Amino acid sequence: MSSEVAADRQATEEFVTRIGGRIRALRKQRGWGVQQLADAAKLSRRMLTDIELGRANPSLATVDRVARALDTDFAALALPENDAPGADAEGTLVWEAPDGSTALLLGATVSPRAELWRWTLAPGGRYDAEPDRPGAQEIHHVLSGRLTLALEAGHQELRPGQSAVIASDQQYAYLNEHAEPTVFMRVVTGA
């Protein structure tokens, strides 16, 4: 195994452990049982237990649903403390696909809620998102490659240097339908 693959695996394990511990702590602070939070987040009790114990790598949408149920946000669960070991200026690896596609959470604000991401989609890569809260939006800016946004109203392709704003309170997906990797920045507001 290459050192880069080992580092990515360790980053993913740290992320899964961090969010699991934070979810459990917030659940206990509220005095909720596992079933109560599972119901509020529309998850099975088993899935929530596996997440809390760091045995499951939940989707971004699942973490977001749990965060909303706990009246917090994705970034509060996902980002390391600024002074914690492993706090990385390059971002927090939050999602990784077998094809090498990745999503790094670079930072977030609390009020108003906003998140800054750097995504890489491998050739043929795809990420299917679940709708965010009503009124949520995303801004995308393509650094290299071509990004296709699959929206309910149709597809929109962005080339390097191009940006788009979309409502993210709908079913949507990111696609790379080309032979070179796509790298883009994503800003999420209101999610």
Side-chain angles (χ1 to χ4, degrees):
M1 174 174 7
S2 75
S3 61
E4 186 175 304
V5 171
D8 286 348
R9 183 171 291 150
Q10 180 180 354
T12 300
E13 289 171 5
E14 289 171 4
F15 169 74
V16 168
T17 300
R18 179 172 44 256
I19 62 167
R22 287 184 179 162
I23 288 169
R24 185 172 190 205
L26 288 169
R27 175 181 60 77
K28 287 184 171 194
Q29 281 177 3
R30 285 181 167 250
W32 284 6
V34 173
Q35 190 63 56
Q36 189 173 1
L37 178 55
D39 291 346
K42 298 181 175 105
L43 294 174
S44 72
R45 178 185 172 103
R46 181 180 186 136
M47 172 58 90
L48 181 59
T49 299
D50 285 346
I51 291 169
E52 284 190 359
L53 295 174
R55 295 189 305 225
N57 187 359
S59 70
L60 304 182
T62 297
V63 175
D64 196 46
R65 282 199 317 269
V66 173
R68 279 186 255 162
L70 291 167
D71 198 30
T72 189
D73 59 42
F74 184 96
L77 297 176
L79 287 173
E81 299 296 326
N82 289 337
D83 57 354
D88 190 347
E90 293 183 23
T92 299
L93 180 64
V94 174
W95 175 76
E96 183 175 27
D99 66 6
S101 297
T102 59
L104 294 171
L105 180 56
L106 302 176
T109 61
V110 176
S111 182
R113 290 182 176 172
E115 301 167 0
L116 176 62
W117 295 76
R118 180 183 174 104
W119 283 70
T120 301
L121 287 179
R126 178 184 181 106
Y127 180 81
D128 291 292
E130 292 184 23
D132 289 323
R133 295 177 191 193
Q137 294 183 311
E138 295 184 3
I139 304 168
H140 302 94
H141 180 77
V142 177
L143 301 173
S144 63
R146 288 181 276 178
L147 172 65
T148 300
L149 300 170
L151 309 170
E152 290 175 355
H155 286 53
Q156 180 179 3
E157 185 176 270
L158 301 175
R159 296 177 178 274
Q162 292 183 316
S163 301
V165 177
I166 67 164
S168 59
D169 56 359
Q170 63 178 313
Q171 290 292 130
Y172 62 102
Y174 311 134
L175 296 90
N176 178 359
E177 302 173 308
H178 302 281
E180 68 279 350
T182 299
V183 179
F184 64 99
M185 303 301 289
R186 171 185 176 231
V187 175
V188 181
T189 62

